[in-house]
Amino acid sequence: MSTPYPFTAVVGQDDLRLALLLNAVSPAVGGVLVRGEKGTAKSTAVRALSALMPGVDVVSGCRFSCDPVTPDPQCPDGPHTDTPGTQRATRMVELPVGASEDRLVGALDIERALSEGVKAFEPGLLADAHRGILYVDEVNLLHDHLVDLLLDAAAMGASYVEREGVSVRHAARFLLVGTMNPEEGELRPQLLDRFGLTVEVAASREPEQRVAVVKRRLAYDDDPEGFVGRWAEDEAEVREHIVAARELLPQVRLGDRALTQIAATCAAFEVDGMRADIVMARTATALAAWAGRTDVLAEDVRQAALLALPHRRRRNPFDAPGLDEDKLDETLDEFGPQEEPEGDPEGDGDDDPDGGPDGGGPGGGVPPQDGPHDGPQETKDPQDSQDTQDPQDAPAGDDREDSPEEPAAAPAAGAGAPEQKPVAAGEPFRTKMLSVPGLGEGAAGRRSRARTEHGRTTGATRPRGALTKLHLAATVQAAAPHQRARGRSGRGLVVRRDDLRQATREGREGNLVLFVVDASGSMAARQRMTAVKGAVLSLLLDAYQRRDKVGLVTFRKSAAEVALPPTSSVDTAAARLESLPTGGRTPLAAGLLKAHEVLRVERLRDPARRPLMVVVTDGRATGGPEPVQLAGRAAGLHAAEGTASVVVDCETGMVRLGLAGELAGRLGGTAVTLDELRADSIAGLVKDVTGTQNIIRRAA
């Protein structure tokens, strides 16, 4: 977009605008993660921020944006001595989700390095972003190996490029800004913690505000230059306010009482590590400077907590981010000051002190609060503690549907047991690793064996494109027989392009784990369904840790449905599982056919990602003509296509029919009971799911 949308023309989104402005005032805050649904001006606001940032002084001709006052002594373009400086605008560098490693960190000419000993280096995006803004749209979809590189650079303030002993280092300090839609998956905790602040955004439900958004957007699309000109005065005012706040920032006093409140708040909410305390301190200081004050007040600490802590409180992907504001206020009051700070009669921690100048932004540094989380809330469990007193399953030999626990109206003929309310999931546990056999080439992950860019070296091949991982021994071996013919006379090795060999590496890939869950009346007994949901929740947690995509198909009554299309959002799958109703007959064939259709579509969309189907059932098939035969034929479709599958046998009781085992045989997979699914049930064993047999191997 040649003419960015003006920052001050963004309607609403006070928390988002404040978080970005605080980072403009104090880049040491550590960046912003913007979470929210699509179409909420996340990218628009971030891209507009660069126009408000003050310019930076750089060494003329330096590709790494060195400061002329304190140039990097190890700069690849250095040394810089008596080099004139020039000022340029702050860069906004975007990192595409599908970027390669060389595009991110830069590329080294291996051929020249081997033959001439020259470090011919082409800088990457990390060099471009130095002393600027690095923006990652859809940051939760970024490949794992790029996340690792990003983490290293953010932690060390430098980027290292290593190619077989030849290395280049350059400074890489940047403001990291990311946007994401939580429905598409969560971030790894290590990357999540690198963002200083986080904000949740959602579209306004007020008609007047929505009308204002549409009017401004249409006016901008019709005449971008004219629209930007109408907001130029407001933009200049905010830019001046940022400069003034930056100048005031070193004078802001962070007293002991504010530090005590910060430490007490982080301790009360049990955040990990000390980064949260540091980020809160920097944010509170920036809030005071933005408000034109030299003292940090309790209101600054409170606002800093709302911005810096929610994303650091997640213990697992199923936890809803957020803070209990009542608990926050109680903590601030408990550790508030007993006496007034000098020159600050308002420093008593009141919730509504007078604000400072607004400068075109939120007055006093505190934006209007509609609640810290406008996103979708986690589905609550409608059952109470009496669930533990529910009756056991009906005898396994009874081929009728299990009776409902609570009295209900009689079902229609042939409808099976009536629908029951959802029950809570049992406590999750660590599961055995289930993997797909063979060697894949899918997206990097942590489940099945695959050819990847990272991992142990298993061989060498000719590069099909740009060389990224040199196999030195194979390259030397290919070049050695030709040295005399090439007229070698010195110590250097004469290397041609045809001699270069790419290292082939083996690592792990992420898979598509499709859960096919039986929600019929035969599974509806309270204790059994609680255990089943606990097992699926455990497998979902395992899928999150192994970077898989997940999908959820359920079957009950007379049909099957896709409760969740394949997605990277494991916590969304957990929420759908929590609200899953049960009851009715068991259309097993319908569930398997629906799963077959989902996998067929996904193979077209992402052919490199191999599927693993997990069927959670007791193996019964009822309803319709010849339900058992239909289920067998549906299972045969999966077996014919070689779909790796595992059946989690949910049958309980003294007498078991073994129907789940028979289903696993027809699928060409394996069956495990709920007890066998636990990783600690047989110490040290790992189950591999194969297309024809169950391979159990002892882990090293």
Side-chain angles (χ1 to χ4, degrees):
M1 186 181 298
S2 57
T3 306
Y5 191 89
F7 185 87
T8 50
V10 175
V11 179
Q13 307 297 9
D14 296 314
D15 282 357
L16 170 58
R17 291 188 291 117
L18 177 61
L20 292 172
L21 289 171
L22 291 177
N23 276 274
V25 171
S26 176
V29 166
V32 186
L33 174 64
V34 188
R35 298 163 49 93
E37 58 197 25
K38 53 187 177 293
T40 49
K42 301 188 298 294
S43 300
T44 299
V46 173
R47 292 190 176 102
L49 176 66
S50 60
L52 300 178
M53 300 286 285
V56 294
D57 294 324
V58 298
V59 173
S60 298
C62 179
R63 297 174 297 168
F64 302 88
S65 303
C66 281
D67 188 338
V69 178
T70 56
D72 181 6
Q74 296 180 301
C75 176
D77 285 355
H80 301 298
T81 56
D82 300 328
T83 306
T86 183
Q87 189 177 80
R88 62 162 174 78
T90 298
R91 286 175 179 166
M92 166 78 74
V93 177
E94 294 194 33
L95 173 60
V97 171
S100 66
E101 180 180 337
D102 284 348
R103 185 69 187 97
L104 178 62
V105 301
L108 193 65
D109 191 329
I110 300 297
E111 186 174 353
R112 292 188 63 191
L114 287 176
S115 59
E116 303 175 29
V118 176
K119 294 182 180 179
F121 181 68
E122 183 66 28
L125 295 177
L126 291 180
D128 293 341
H130 179 48
R131 303 179 65 204
I133 302 170
L134 181 61
Y135 171 46
V136 189
D137 194 14
E138 305 294 350
V139 63
N140 52 325
L141 303 181
L142 200 63
H143 289 299
D144 269 9
H145 69 285
L146 296 183
V147 170
D148 293 335
L149 294 170
L150 207 55
L151 288 175
D152 290 342
M156 297 183 294
S159 175
Y160 292 85
V161 181
E162 300 282 349
R163 293 290 188 272
E164 299 296 336
V166 181
S167 64
V168 173
R169 173 219 170 268
H170 65 83
R173 292 183 294 275
F174 45 82
L175 172 62
L176 183 60
V177 181
T179 57
M180 59 174 284
N181 184 345
E183 293 181 356
E184 296 174 340
E186 283 294 342
L187 281 176
R188 287 169 51 185
Q190 296 94 327
L191 183 58
L192 198 62
D193 190 50
R194 291 296 179 186
F195 288 96
L197 310 179
T198 185
V199 290
E200 296 275 343
V201 297
S204 173
R205 299 298 183 258
E206 295 295 329
E208 295 82 2
Q209 197 171 76
R210 297 176 74 96
V211 168
V213 171
V214 174
K215 283 184 175 180
R216 292 186 185 181
R217 186 68 206 192
L218 292 178
Y220 171 77
D221 292 340
D222 290 340
D223 181 13
E225 297 290 344
F227 184 84
V228 171
R230 291 194 292 274
W231 289 89
E233 185 176 344
D234 293 328
E235 293 280 288
E237 186 177 355
V238 175
R239 192 178 299 110
E240 293 172 1
H241 193 180
I242 292 173
V243 173
R246 280 190 172 188
E247 294 175 351
L248 182 62
L249 187 65
Q251 305 172 37
V252 176
R253 182 172 62 90
L254 183 64
D256 289 343
R257 65 92 185 251
L259 281 172
T260 301
Q261 287 181 314
I262 290 171
T265 300
C266 292
F269 287 101
E270 300 179 349
V271 296
D272 295 332
M274 295 297 297
R275 183 174 282 115
D277 303 63
I278 297 171
V279 170
M280 274 190 65
R282 290 171 175 166
T283 305
T285 303
L287 281 162
W290 177 253
R293 290 185 268 100
T294 56
D295 283 302
V296 174
L297 305 181
E299 68 179 71
D300 300 322
V301 175
R302 185 181 193 278
Q303 185 64 48
L306 292 174
L307 293 173
L309 296 188
H311 62 300
R312 293 184 165 90
R313 295 195 60 246
R314 290 173 65 95
R315 291 294 182 266
N316 62 64
F318 312 136
D319 292 338
L323 289 182
D324 183 340
E325 294 196 44
D326 291 335
K327 181 178 179 180
L328 174 60
D329 291 333
E330 291 174 4
T331 303
L332 294 177
D333 290 341
E334 180 181 354
F335 292 91
Q338 299 300 320
E339 57 184 11
E340 307 285 342
E342 290 186 13
D344 183 12
E346 297 174 345
D348 55 359
D350 288 344
D351 290 336
D352 189 23
D354 293 335
D358 53 21
V366 183
Q369 293 293 325
D370 296 328
H373 311 292
D374 297 327
Q377 300 297 314
E378 183 178 355
T379 305
K380 300 300 181 182
D381 174 31
Q383 299 299 325
D384 55 28
S385 59
Q386 299 302 317
D387 290 349
T388 58
Q389 301 177 6
D390 294 333
Q392 301 289 334
D393 298 345
D398 188 352
D399 57 4
R400 297 171 297 172
E401 299 296 326
D402 293 345
S403 299
E405 179 200 26
E406 299 174 0
E419 182 174 312
Q420 300 185 27
K421 294 181 180 179
V423 299
E427 193 69 22
F429 51 84
R430 189 168 65 92
T431 66
K432 288 185 174 68
M433 189 180 79
L434 307 174
S435 63
V436 178
L439 196 62
E441 295 183 348
R446 299 177 182 176
R447 184 173 297 278
S448 305
R449 294 174 55 223
R451 296 184 183 91
T452 60
E453 294 187 10
H454 299 271
R456 63 186 181 89
T457 301
T458 58
T461 185
R462 292 180 182 270
R464 289 181 290 181
L467 181 70
T468 56
K469 298 293 183 182
L470 177 72
H471 195 295
L472 183 58
T475 299
V476 172
Q477 186 177 7
H482 309 290
Q483 296 305 295
R484 180 175 298 178
R486 292 172 183 174
R488 175 187 172 186
S489 58
R491 299 178 59 185
L493 188 68
V494 181
V495 179
R496 303 280 173 83
R497 175 67 185 174
D498 290 343
D499 300 328
L500 299 179
R501 294 294 183 268
Q502 175 87 17
T504 57
R505 299 171 181 260
E506 181 178 314
R508 294 280 173 176
E509 67 176 359
N511 298 112
L512 166 60
V513 182
L514 181 63
F515 294 93
V516 185
V517 180
D518 184 350
S520 65
S522 67
M523 300 282 290
R526 299 285 182 179
Q527 289 184 345
R528 183 192 294 188
M529 201 59 195
T530 295
V532 167
K533 284 189 175 182
V536 178
L537 198 65
S538 303
L539 291 167
L540 283 172
L541 181 58
D542 182 69
Y544 166 78
Q545 294 168 340
R546 302 190 186 280
R547 313 303 292 169
D548 295 317
K549 289 180 68 174
V550 297
L552 179 62
V553 172
T554 64
F555 56 95
R556 53 189 290 268
K557 292 186 176 179
S558 59
E561 66 173 350
V562 181
L564 181 69
T567 175
S568 297
S569 180
V570 175
D571 49 349
T572 301
R576 300 288 173 87
L577 177 72
E578 189 76 13
S579 59
L580 179 66
T582 57
R585 293 193 178 277
T586 312
L588 178 58
L592 296 175
L593 290 174
K594 181 66 70 173
H596 182 268
E597 176 64 19
V598 170
L599 294 179
R600 184 188 67 81
V601 173
E602 284 302 307
R603 285 190 182 98
L604 297 176
R605 291 177 177 171
D606 190 359
R609 188 180 291 269
R610 298 185 295 164
L612 170 63
M613 185 173 66
V614 179
V615 185
V616 185
T617 181
D618 57 7
R620 298 185 186 186
T622 61
E626 300 183 339
V628 177
Q629 290 80 356
L630 285 176
R633 288 197 288 271
L637 292 176
H638 291 279
E641 294 183 354
T643 302
S645 59
V646 60
V647 177
V648 179
D649 185 358
C650 302
E651 193 174 31
T652 59
M654 297 296 295
V655 179
R656 302 193 181 190
L657 302 179
L659 299 177
E662 294 179 8
L663 175 62
R666 294 187 176 187
L667 288 169
T670 186
V672 295
T673 65
L674 291 175
D675 289 336
E676 292 173 343
L677 192 62
R678 294 179 178 270
D680 54 359
S681 61
I682 305 176
L685 290 186
V686 177
K687 281 189 178 290
D688 279 345
V689 182
T690 70
T692 58
Q693 61 181 342
N694 179 25
I695 301 175
I696 302 179
R697 52 182 166 81
R698 187 168 301 277

